[in-house]
Amino acid sequence: MAALVRVASTAYEEMRKYWDRNRQLQRPLSPFLTVYKPHLAMMTSLTHRVTGVAMQCAVAGVSITLLALPGDFTHYLELVKNMALGPVIIYGFKLILAFPVTYHFLNGIRHLAWDAGVGFGLSTLYKTGYFVMGLTALVTAYFVFVL
């Protein structure tokens, strides 16, 4: 029969020692705010993901809603036209619709270039990031104010 051996310390005691030492040294609980400063690559990637998820949710939600409601799409389009909304509201909705589509499309081209192995240099990464942001602003403004 095997004899029971007393371990010097338990996992809980080790964790307590670890956290006591971190508190004594005044270390942050999470390195997120101290290590991961927001930078262009992080923000463009985050925005790409958020716009993709938002568009998917919007398309699915509108589709399901239109399927569940009585009548057809033209009926509801006429209802919206007859509301006589002000230009600020119309331009605001156009902006909400145009920005995610434009940004996701243009940044998606950038991602395709990365998939081909092009544009990973730090200077290229920043140049293409600023280019995508600038072009997104121009194309979105065109969609909102011209079309």
Side-chain angles (χ1 to χ4, degrees):
M1 180 174 217
L4 293 175
V5 178
R6 169 84 172 122
V7 179
S9 63
T10 66
Y12 292 110
E13 291 170 349
E14 291 297 320
M15 286 189 312
R16 185 185 48 75
K17 288 178 192 176
Y18 173 80
W19 288 112
D20 287 344
R21 178 150 171 80
N22 281 341
R23 280 189 207 97
Q24 179 188 17
L25 295 172
Q26 296 180 344
R27 291 178 176 160
L29 293 178
S30 171
F32 183 76
L33 296 176
T34 58
V35 177
Y36 302 111
K37 303 281 186 215
H39 51 83
L40 183 67
M42 177 191 298
M43 297 313 293
T44 57
S45 178
L46 177 66
T47 306
H48 187 79
R49 292 167 192 245
V50 168
T51 56
V53 170
M55 288 187 303
Q56 176 57 39
C57 291
V59 167
V62 169
S63 300
I64 291 169
T65 303
L66 286 174
L67 281 172
L69 290 174
D72 60 351
F73 177 73
T74 56
H75 170 74
Y76 295 105
L77 188 59
E78 285 300 319
L79 283 176
V80 171
K81 284 182 182 178
N82 293 332
M83 287 180 161
L85 300 172
V88 172
I89 294 173
I90 292 173
Y91 288 140
F93 276 119
K94 286 172 80 174
L95 178 69
I96 289 170
L97 292 173
F99 171 75
V101 173
T102 304
Y103 180 81
H104 198 77
F105 176 77
L106 294 173
N107 203 51
I109 294 171
R110 186 172 172 231
H111 276 265
L112 288 174
W114 290 347
D115 290 344
V118 178
F120 283 122
L122 194 58
S123 66
T124 306
L125 188 108
Y126 273 84
K127 286 177 188 174
T128 59
Y130 286 125
F131 179 75
V132 164
M133 289 187 330
L135 192 58
T136 297
L138 289 174
V139 174
T140 300
Y142 176 77
F143 285 154
V144 171
F145 298 111
V146 176
L147 295 182

